[in-house]
Amino acid sequence: MQLGLFLLCALLLSLLPVYGGARLLGIGNPSWWAALAAVVAALALQDLALRFLEDQSLAWLVSLLAGAIAFSLMLDCPYWKALPLCIVVMSIQWGATELLLEGVPAHVELSRLVGETQKELWPQYHE
């Protein structure tokens, strides 16, 4: 249950600003599906950057720049319009990480929740 709530909150906190910003900026494809695909791609790139880069500041910068490319491709807009949307999403992600997860990176919390869910669903494999 916690895993589902975690994923739902992460998507909603990211999806609403992207869709609203896409409408506000008059971006080429401001549909819910394109916004969802862009958010999922940007969060996956953020997860990769945070996992593989040791310097957290560099990881956030790389995830911001790579996420803006994902927004640009998915929302069919120029990079300079996608960058502000990505900045908003990454700022929300950073704020949620600091406030709600007490600084624990989202991928660490997600791994913990997945592990707990697996233990609940298949306790015979985790004895």
Side-chain angles (χ1 to χ4, degrees), residues 19-107:
Y19 183 72
R23 288 282 183 189
L24 185 68
L25 292 173
I27 285 179
N29 185 16
S31 69
W32 280 102
W33 296 111
L36 179 64
V39 167
V40 168
L43 293 179
L45 291 169
Q46 178 190 22
D47 183 48
L48 284 173
L50 289 172
R51 283 181 194 239
F52 293 113
L53 296 175
E54 291 183 23
D55 183 12
Q56 292 296 308
S57 300
L58 180 63
W60 280 99
L61 179 64
V62 167
S63 64
L64 175 71
L65 298 176
I69 292 171
F71 279 107
S72 176
L73 293 173
M74 301 292 178
L75 296 174
D76 190 27
C77 68
Y79 186 79
W80 64 270
K81 281 188 173 182
L83 191 59
L85 286 177
C86 194
I87 289 172
V88 168
V89 169
M90 293 299 167
S91 298
I92 291 171
Q93 289 297 105
W94 179 80
T97 298
E98 291 299 317
L99 293 174
L100 301 176
L101 300 178
E102 298 168 356
V104 175
H107 69 274

